Amino acid sequence: MATEAEAQWVLTATGRSPTNIAVIKYWGKRDEALILPVNDSISVTLDPDHLSATTTVAASPAFPSDRMWLNGKEIALSGGRFQSCLREIRKRARDVEDEKKGIKVKKEDWEKLHVHIASYNNFPTAAGLASSAAGFACLVFTLGKLMNVNEDYGELSSIARQGSGSACRSIYGGFVKWCMGKNDDGSDSMAVQLVDESHWDDLVIIIAVVSSKQKETSSTSGMRDTVETSPLLQYRAQTVVPGRILKMEDAIKNRNFESFARLTCADSNQFHAVCLDTSPPIFYMNDTSHRIISLVEKWNHAEGTPQVAYTFDAGPNAVLIARNRKTASLVLQRLLYCFPPQENDLDSYMVGDKSILSDAGVQSLADIEALPPPPEMKSPSQKFKGDVSYFICSRPGAGPKVLTDESHTLIDSATGLAKG
Ligand code: ADE
């Protein structure tokens, strides 16, 4: 039983981690429990101002159990993935002393201390935008800070991987490779940073959040079905991806957009081919996704060299990576022409870096209506009002950060509960 003085203290740490988008996809596990992939993957980390998770972790002798709140609602912490991350960080915890608060925690005390976790995503968790990647990276990073863990980022990425595979890549900013590793215990399956976010800062990332009524197959069960039934997956993982990884690393290091775009589109298309090759087949993209691919393919063809790359994860949302702001504004004009907003509100139709709208010459809904049909499309080209819910404009961004300003803390240190 904690003494009254002990029961009073609450130690907290708050961090923020970005999400990431794979340009060479992770699909298929060789070990389900340890989350070990069948191939290497490469991603770009998005600007945390636009897509990130913020997490406060608190520890106190007054807490009788571990608890978690996600976006203000309490969720069960019973899942094995949360438990794996907590266990691995607790194992590496060290002495902590907060002189201001007069708190001393010995390394061995962390095993007995329970934690409260409050996490908030700055984008809709249900939009299918890899929220668990940002979430688990943030959890591991912030728990590591709270418990004064000394491990390098590679080791942290390996722990985040055990929460959600792609979370290991959100431990770094810029372009990141998840090396699949060879060891059975997963100790060499971790992320490395290829280049930081300043290396290729011309790139502009536009996400079309596509309206979908369909319940999607979860990545976990989809991957399992693919591993069990798709003959194409073996070919992809063993014969195609290793060469693509080398070419993609080269394209990124040399900022070779043409090569980058061709590899990104080809890899997204092969990932979805592998989903179709699964029994029963998995359809993540829908008609809107296919229309966006066709729009980009036609424009790239008309330009002679690729100006925009597309990639789709386990859902219908399109992620478009433009060579620079000029090409981003031109592709945005095309997208807005084909997918005008359903609601009469331009402000909520573009989130993140809204300044891309003025680059595209769009200040009002009337400007969207006045956009000319894209010349490379067969005229009169059809419009699909309402098929895109909204757009997010972002850029390559930095990795996790500690937030020291009290205003970011999501747990009330008086009550130990998530702030309302
Ligand atoms: N899953 C989705 N969002 C998350 C978050 N912020 N933290 C942990 N798990 C999540």
Side-chain angles (χ1 to χ4, degrees):
M1 191 59 191
T3 66
E4 212 172 296
E6 271 180 339
Q8 277 166 8
W9 67 257
V10 177
L11 207 54
T12 67
T14 301
R16 187 176 75 163
S17 293
T19 188
N20 71 79
I21 299 290
V23 292
I24 299 290
K25 301 294 186 193
Y26 151 51
W27 196 254
K29 297 184 188 83
R30 63 188 164 89
D31 184 308
E32 290 257 348
L34 290 169
I35 314 192
L36 302 176
V38 296
N39 58 260
D40 292 349
S41 53
I42 293 180
S43 60
V44 56
T45 297
L46 302 188
D47 187 335
D49 283 346
H50 306 141
L51 291 134
S52 61
T54 299
T55 302
T56 297
V57 288
S60 171
F63 297 164
S65 61
D66 295 332
R67 292 173 75 181
M68 172 157 183
W69 294 261
L70 178 57
N71 297 324
K73 264 185 74 182
E74 185 157 12
I75 60 165
L77 259 184
S78 48
R81 292 169 169 221
F82 280 107
Q83 295 306 331
S84 300
C85 293
L86 277 168
R87 183 192 62 236
E88 293 304 313
I89 292 289
R90 275 191 177 115
K91 258 196 236 169
R92 294 163 174 84
R94 300 187 308 149
D95 293 356
V96 170
E97 181 163 9
D98 185 327
E99 280 183 8
K100 259 205 257 154
K101 292 186 180 165
I103 304 168
K104 269 190 188 174
V105 187
K106 301 294 290 171
K107 173 179 161 165
E108 54 279 11
D109 294 341
W110 285 112
E111 290 289 343
K112 292 169 272 164
L113 280 170
H114 289 291
V115 292
H116 285 183
I117 304 159
S119 191
Y120 167 82
N121 299 329
N122 67 352
F123 57 96
T125 302
L129 292 166
S131 54
S132 61
F136 278 102
C138 201
L139 176 67
V140 166
F141 176 80
T142 313
L143 276 172
K145 293 293 168 197
L146 178 76
M147 300 188 186
N148 195 20
V149 164
N150 199 22
E151 260 65 15
D152 60 26
Y153 277 28
E155 185 80 11
L156 291 184
S157 85
S158 185
I159 299 172
R161 188 201 77 229
Q162 296 174 59
S164 165
S166 47
C168 72
R169 297 188 308 245
S170 275
I171 288 288
Y172 298 100
F175 281 90
V176 183
K177 173 163 84 161
W178 175 8
C179 307
M180 62 180 284
K182 291 193 290 288
N183 300 346
D184 286 342
D185 66 357
S187 52
D188 58 348
S189 185
M190 61 177 69
V192 292
Q193 186 178 54
L194 298 175
V195 292
D196 74 16
E197 61 279 11
S198 64
H199 171 77
W200 204 352
D201 58 1
D202 295 347
L203 298 178
V204 177
I205 298 159
I206 296 177
I207 302 173
V209 179
V210 170
S211 324
S212 162
K213 277 155 228 107
Q214 202 187 307
K215 175 86 193 87
E216 282 146 28
T217 312
S218 80
S219 300
T220 304
S221 70
M223 278 189 207
R224 192 179 303 134
D225 291 349
T226 301
V227 168
E228 282 169 10
T229 64
S230 166
L232 182 56
L233 181 70
Q234 299 306 316
Y235 171 71
R236 165 176 167 71
Q238 287 161 24
T239 310
V240 179
V241 174
R244 261 185 202 162
I245 288 278
L246 295 175
K247 287 189 188 130
M248 183 59 95
E249 285 190 59
D250 211 56
I252 292 166
K253 287 198 173 123
N254 296 309
R255 293 188 288 259
N256 178 343
F257 188 80
E258 180 171 350
S259 171
F260 172 79
R262 290 192 199 285
L263 291 163
T264 298
C265 298
D267 202 68
S268 172
N269 290 334
Q270 189 176 69
F271 154 49
H272 290 277
V274 156
C275 290
L276 275 183
D277 192 46
T278 301
S279 177
I282 309 167
F283 307 96
Y284 283 123
M285 294 194 286
N286 63 17
D287 288 353
T288 310
S289 319
H290 294 145
R291 284 190 185 106
I292 295 174
I293 292 181
S294 165
L295 179 154
V296 172
E297 288 282 358
K298 282 193 183 122
W299 188 50
N300 280 342
H301 183 76
E303 289 292 314
T305 51
Q307 301 299 313
V308 178
Y310 56 80
T311 186
F312 292 79
D313 280 329
N317 299 333
V319 178
L320 305 178
I321 308 176
R323 183 191 278 267
N324 54 38
R325 281 189 80 83
K326 181 72 200 153
T327 55
S329 68
L330 290 171
V331 81
L332 183 61
Q333 287 177 341
R334 284 159 170 82
L335 289 163
L336 291 171
Y337 175 88
C338 294
F339 305 101
Q342 180 123 63
E343 307 293 329
N344 290 334
D345 178 16
L346 183 58
D347 196 52
S348 59
Y349 203 48
M350 173 59 75
V351 303
D353 180 1
K354 290 175 190 284
S355 67
I356 196 71
L357 278 176
S358 39
D359 285 31
V362 171
Q363 322 269 7
S364 67
L365 292 169
D367 291 337
I368 295 184
E369 275 172 34
L371 284 168
E376 68 280 7
M377 286 187 185
K378 270 193 251 131
S379 54
S381 28
Q382 241 185 303
K383 296 194 179 200
F384 299 92
K385 191 180 241 185
D387 285 3
V388 170
S389 303
Y390 59 96
F391 292 99
I392 305 169
C393 183
S394 189
R395 62 175 82 87
K401 275 194 172 56
V402 176
L403 303 178
T404 48
D405 192 311
E406 188 59 31
S407 66
H408 292 115
T409 305
L410 300 171
I411 290 180
D412 182 338
S413 51
T415 62
L417 302 176
K419 287 182 181 170

